[in-house]
Amino acid sequence: MTNNRYRTATKPALALGMLFCLMIFMLVVTSLLTQLLSSVVESTTASLRIMAVLQDVLVFILPAVLTALLTTRYPGELLEVMHGPRVFTTLWAILALLVSIPAMNAIIEWIYGGSLPESMRWARQLEEDARLTKQVIM
């Protein structure tokens, strides 16, 4: 007999599909809310921060919570919020952070170095837009 730890009411593939669909739906809702907010409120540092938090909550947190609530009797166990993080997982997260920062800096230097082929000039424009947004927020 298999031990179904989470006692899901649906198959895992269906739950994963539900999560994906909810994330896409929330991404569309977030885009609409951002457009509405930017037309109503002047683009200030505070409004950009509010929009960033709103996007994080609606696109990443809410779909996971809704999927867990709809697919299992024990959503806290499925989301692993019943106990603190494991030491091994925390160490892997710290290692990933420490490795990703120099990697991102190398990619940024590569983009600004002008060694991009013509087909990837869009990356330079995205980086410039991100830099301008960062200046507004700071």
Side-chain angles (χ1 to χ4, degrees):
M1 180 175 194
T2 60
N3 182 9
N4 190 355
R5 178 178 171 195
Y6 301 116
R7 298 176 186 93
T8 57
T10 59
K11 293 182 179 180
L14 184 62
L16 191 59
M18 183 186 305
L19 176 65
F20 181 73
C21 289
L22 280 171
M23 287 179 80
I24 296 298
F25 175 73
M26 287 301 180
L27 190 59
V28 170
V29 168
T30 303
S31 297
L32 294 174
L33 284 175
T34 302
Q35 291 294 326
L36 181 67
L37 225 66
S38 64
S39 68
V40 172
V41 179
E42 189 175 314
S43 183
T44 63
T45 303
S47 66
L48 288 173
R49 288 181 180 166
I50 289 170
M51 286 187 264
V53 170
L54 185 70
Q55 177 181 347
D56 291 343
V57 170
L58 290 179
V59 175
F60 298 110
I61 296 172
L62 193 61
V65 171
L66 285 175
T67 301
L69 288 171
L70 294 172
T71 60
T72 182
R73 290 187 206 156
Y74 304 100
E77 286 183 25
L78 182 65
L79 295 172
E80 296 285 335
V81 295
M82 301 302 288
H83 51 79
R86 294 184 179 97
V87 174
F88 187 71
T89 306
T90 305
L91 291 175
W92 270 112
I94 292 170
L95 179 68
L97 181 68
L98 292 175
V99 169
S100 66
I101 292 172
M104 286 301 298
N105 286 336
I107 291 170
I108 290 168
E109 288 298 320
W110 179 61
I111 290 171
Y112 280 125
S115 59
L116 286 176
E118 191 60 38
S119 63
M120 290 187 64
R121 293 289 177 203
W122 57 268
R124 186 179 305 243
Q125 183 61 42
L126 285 177
E127 185 62 34
E128 183 64 25
D129 292 344
R131 186 182 64 77
L132 291 173
T133 303
K134 184 179 172 184
Q135 284 179 348
V136 170
I137 291 175
M138 298 288 193

